[in-house]
């Protein structure tokens, strides 16, 4: 099984956060400017990391289930 480090999850979460901002003109769901990653609260960073971890795990599972020729 291929794993990912905590650092890797954090980097993936940060990239996802900034990807979200690139679509919303760097505004949050309330229309307010998005803070820099480092200025997010601990809980919000953890939420983004949980989402990234879930996507990583689902992607890994999807690859296992969709092998060429099956």
């Amino acid at each position: 099984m291929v794993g990912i480090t905590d650092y890797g999850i954090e980097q993936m979460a940060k990239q996802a956060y900034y990807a979200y901002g690139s679509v919303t003109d760097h505004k949050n769901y309330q229309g307010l400017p998005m803070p820099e990653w480092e200025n997010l609260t601990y809980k919000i960073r953890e939420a983004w990391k949980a989402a990234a971890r879930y996507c990583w795990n689902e992607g890994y599972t999807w690859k296992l289930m969709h092998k060429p020729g099956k």
Side-chain angles (χ1 to χ4, degrees):
M1 182 172 182
V2 176
I4 188 168
T5 64
D6 289 340
Y7 176 78
I9 287 294
E10 177 141 4
Q11 293 307 303
M12 182 186 276
K14 189 175 180 178
Q15 289 175 340
Y17 177 73
Y18 285 115
Y20 173 94
S22 74
V23 173
T24 64
D25 198 27
H26 302 282
K27 305 269 194 260
N28 69 14
Y29 74 97
Q30 297 171 314
L32 301 172
M34 291 172 59
E36 292 297 320
W37 175 261
E38 294 77 17
N39 295 330
L40 292 173
T41 65
Y42 173 80
K43 189 169 186 171
I44 297 298
R45 282 194 314 270
E46 289 300 304
W48 278 96
K49 286 166 37 178
R53 190 172 294 106
Y54 178 83
C55 291
W56 173 266
N57 290 334
E58 284 301 304
Y60 182 75
T61 302
W62 188 89
K63 288 177 194 172
L64 286 178
M65 295 172 57
H66 295 87
K67 292 182 181 178
K70 289 193 175 190

